[in-house]
Amino acid sequence: MAVSFMTEEGLKMLFETILLQYGFEKQRYIYVRDFGSFLLRLSLQPSLGSEDYHLDCYFLIKELHEKSVLITFLVADITNRQKFVINEKETEIIKIEDLKFEDTSKILRSAISDVVTLVESGGLKGYLEKYPEAIKSAPTGSMPYFEKLGII
């Protein structure tokens, strides 16, 4: 029986399938979910020159932007690189050439589920409480909003 390893095309299809199951919408080349007061974008980013990928999270706070910015979503108020858990160890990189399709599916689904579950239960504040390092990515103009939320 042949072992099926993940391909770049397979990874992209798997990523889209999982995100659609979690309520994300594809908007051109990005996947966005509206959480009321903010938008969350998840993006699978390739590393240059390799078959390594990162899962990036982008939060855009509606109150801080005009509608045109919300539609294009080319800016973010918070960015963070989500961790994958592989063999019970956290890593920021998933190397598809080393993983079977089934393993990649479980690893990717788990990482996405962690983000969505955290945001659904605790909102942006809950996410930033778990990942306080992400606040460092916020532009200075966003800080009064985070003060208002009691995050900083």
Side-chain angles (χ1 to χ4, degrees):
M1 176 184 238
V3 175
S4 175
F5 285 92
M6 181 55 71
T7 64
E8 182 177 351
E9 184 177 316
L11 182 64
K12 289 177 182 178
M13 288 174 35
L14 177 64
F15 185 64
E16 180 172 311
T17 299
I18 294 169
L19 287 177
L20 293 175
Q21 291 170 351
Y22 278 96
F24 285 78
E25 295 179 12
K26 186 173 185 178
Q27 296 178 353
R28 286 184 265 165
Y29 56 91
I30 60 175
Y31 298 89
V32 179
R33 181 163 167 196
D34 190 328
F35 282 91
S37 62
F38 62 91
L39 301 174
L40 170 61
R41 179 180 94 179
L42 294 182
S43 176
L44 202 55
Q45 296 293 323
S47 295
L48 294 174
S50 72
E51 292 186 349
D52 300 349
Y53 287 83
H54 306 278
L55 178 59
D56 291 334
C57 303
Y58 304 91
F59 295 88
L60 185 68
I61 300 162
K62 291 180 180 181
E63 184 180 316
L64 301 178
H65 301 280
E66 295 179 15
K67 188 172 183 170
S68 61
V69 172
L70 298 175
I71 293 169
T72 61
F73 205 161
L74 297 175
V75 298
D77 295 299
I78 295 288
T79 61
N80 197 36
R81 187 155 282 163
Q82 190 63 27
K83 304 261 195 270
F84 297 106
V85 178
I86 301 174
N87 298 325
E88 299 180 24
K89 294 180 182 174
E90 285 190 342
T91 181
E92 290 186 354
I93 298 171
I94 188 169
K95 296 174 180 269
I96 62 172
E97 71 268 14
D98 295 342
L99 297 169
K100 293 182 270 183
F101 180 86
E102 298 80 19
D103 296 335
T104 305
S105 178
K106 288 177 190 173
I107 292 164
L108 191 56
R109 185 174 300 278
S110 176
I112 293 168
S113 176
D114 288 349
V115 173
V116 171
T117 301
L118 184 58
V119 171
E120 285 178 338
S121 64
L124 182 56
K125 184 175 182 177
Y127 185 86
L128 292 172
E129 286 172 351
K130 181 163 184 181
Y131 300 106
E133 68 277 6
I135 198 73
K136 294 175 188 168
S137 70
T140 306
S142 302
M143 291 306 163
Y145 178 84
F146 298 120
E147 289 172 359
K148 183 174 81 172
L149 280 182
I151 295 171
I152 57 171

